[in-house]
Amino acid sequence: MKRTFLSLMCMFTLSAMLFAQHGKVIENCTFHSTILNMDRPFAVYLPAGYDESTCSYPVLYLLHGSGDDHTGWVQFGQVAHIADKAIAEGKACPMIIVMPNGDAVHRGYFNLWDGSYNYEDYFFKELIPYVEKNFRTRTQRRYRAISGLSMGGGGTLYYTLHHPELFAAACPLSGALGGWNLKRMAETVDMTKIKKADLEKYSRTLNSRNLIEDATPEQLRLIKSVRWYISCGDDDFLYRDNSEIHMLFREKEIPHEYRVKDGAHTWTYWRMELAEVLPFITRSFCQF
């Protein structure tokens, strides 16, 4: 009990000073990826007091959308302002926010079917370990969350379905959540270079229904234990993807919060929702 109390005190220390302080953003952290064979940048938000304290912090991985890079949430999403405000008001706990770059040689967060560009492997095998080695993070599952918009919302959904053992909360916003089936996949690749059976196996890894139906009992238990927050504007062109995921989760009895609000596929909507996401994931980090 004492350790729990001290842990919470450490997480909320300096709270009285937060109104007068601001977190900081390091916009171009870079390290070399062996998997991708290139240097990969990412941005990171560090909460007020990080440099002065010895505390370890929970982590939110925040994914950008198509056409942006790791600076999107910094420049357009106002992540530092929104996080500072939520923390100062006591709505969110101090946390580290990591914003990777999913737009390099190939745009997107997944491994290519032919293994020539394995971004998802990079994310889980290199980026997360690098962050946990170089920043004072809490490395247990209960202190790790993921969110993202549009293309990053799709990354949020599928990363969590692929590795539900790693995330306490997942919050896709206006997500590009449409599942890839064999027919759709076949339209995007050269079928002379891949066997149909191999392509079908690959497509199942990017189809939410297949992933849930193929899950082992333990994987399904973990998927259901994730705290899900799914949000999409009522004027967003991706409304169908999001409503279908909501219906699939209802069908499979996966607990989740589903929000349809006034808005479109815009930064105005995503900034509004980030202010909701931070308190939502805080309730996972702090076990309220």
Side-chain angles (χ1 to χ4, degrees):
M1 193 71 177
K2 183 178 180 181
R3 289 184 63 187
T4 301
F5 174 76
L6 291 175
S7 175
L8 287 173
M9 285 297 292
C10 190
M11 289 177 65
F12 287 99
T13 190
L14 304 176
S15 59
M17 300 171 60
L18 286 176
F19 285 96
Q21 296 188 31
H22 301 282
K24 69 176 182 179
V25 171
I26 306 173
E27 201 165 284
N28 282 293
C29 300
T30 304
F31 73 98
H32 183 77
S33 166
T34 301
I35 291 173
L36 299 179
N37 192 29
M38 65 178 74
D39 291 342
R40 299 302 305 135
F42 66 93
V44 61
Y45 165 86
L46 301 174
Y50 178 87
D51 290 335
E52 293 76 31
S53 78
T54 58
C55 294
S56 296
Y57 296 84
V59 183
L60 167 63
Y61 289 88
L62 188 59
L63 310 183
H64 65 79
S66 179
D68 281 327
D69 59 20
H70 59 293
T71 67
W73 275 106
V74 178
Q75 300 298 330
F76 309 120
Q78 301 176 11
V79 64
H81 169 73
I82 294 170
D84 283 347
K85 186 174 185 293
I87 294 169
E89 293 176 352
K91 295 178 180 178
C93 67
M95 68 182 74
I96 295 170
I97 303 176
V98 176
M99 294 155 279
N101 186 341
D103 188 4
V105 177
H106 297 279
R107 181 176 294 176
Y109 295 103
F110 306 112
N111 297 344
L112 293 187
W113 64 271
D114 61 0
S116 61
Y117 183 79
N118 293 330
Y119 188 93
E120 185 170 351
D121 288 352
Y122 152 78
F123 183 91
F124 286 103
K125 297 178 181 180
E126 291 184 330
L127 177 61
I128 290 179
Y130 181 88
V131 168
E132 293 182 349
K133 180 180 179 181
N134 290 277
F135 297 92
R136 296 196 313 275
T137 66
R138 294 176 177 267
T139 59
Q140 303 98 317
R141 178 209 189 202
R142 62 177 285 187
Y143 298 117
R144 189 185 300 113
I146 187 169
S147 182
L149 67 91
S150 195
M151 179 180 80
T156 297
L157 173 71
Y158 290 103
Y159 276 9
T160 308
L161 292 179
H162 291 169
H163 292 284
E165 76 282 2
L166 294 181
F167 300 107
C171 307
L173 309 176
S174 310
L177 309 178
W180 288 79
N181 55 33
L182 180 60
K183 180 180 178 181
R184 183 182 175 195
M185 192 70 70
E187 295 172 351
T188 68
V189 303
D190 184 348
M191 290 302 293
T192 65
K193 295 182 179 180
I194 186 172
K195 295 179 181 179
K196 183 178 179 180
D198 292 336
L199 186 62
E200 182 174 16
K201 182 179 179 181
Y202 175 74
S203 70
R204 293 184 75 86
T205 68
L206 297 178
N207 185 290
S208 52
R209 180 172 292 275
N210 290 152
L211 285 166
I212 294 169
E213 291 176 345
D214 293 346
T216 65
E218 175 60 13
Q219 288 172 327
L220 186 59
R221 183 191 70 79
L222 287 168
I223 290 170
K224 291 183 176 182
S225 71
V226 173
R227 296 188 69 249
W228 292 92
Y229 179 94
I230 302 167
S231 175
C232 187
D234 56 359
D235 293 319
D236 196 302
F237 69 94
L238 291 173
Y239 75 93
R240 186 181 299 276
D241 285 2
N242 287 265
S243 62
E244 287 180 351
I245 288 297
H246 164 58
M247 290 186 290
L248 174 63
F249 276 29
R250 285 288 301 269
E251 175 189 335
K252 299 299 182 180
E253 298 181 338
I254 298 172
H256 64 289
E257 295 192 20
Y258 177 56
R259 300 289 181 266
V260 178
K261 301 180 181 179
D262 182 34
H265 206 74
T266 65
W267 278 107
T268 299
Y269 189 85
W270 302 322
R271 287 190 292 265
M272 174 184 70
E273 283 305 275
L274 181 60
E276 299 294 329
V277 164
L278 298 181
F280 180 85
I281 65 174
T282 290
R283 291 191 288 274
S284 299
F285 294 155
C286 296
Q287 300 290 295
F288 291 152

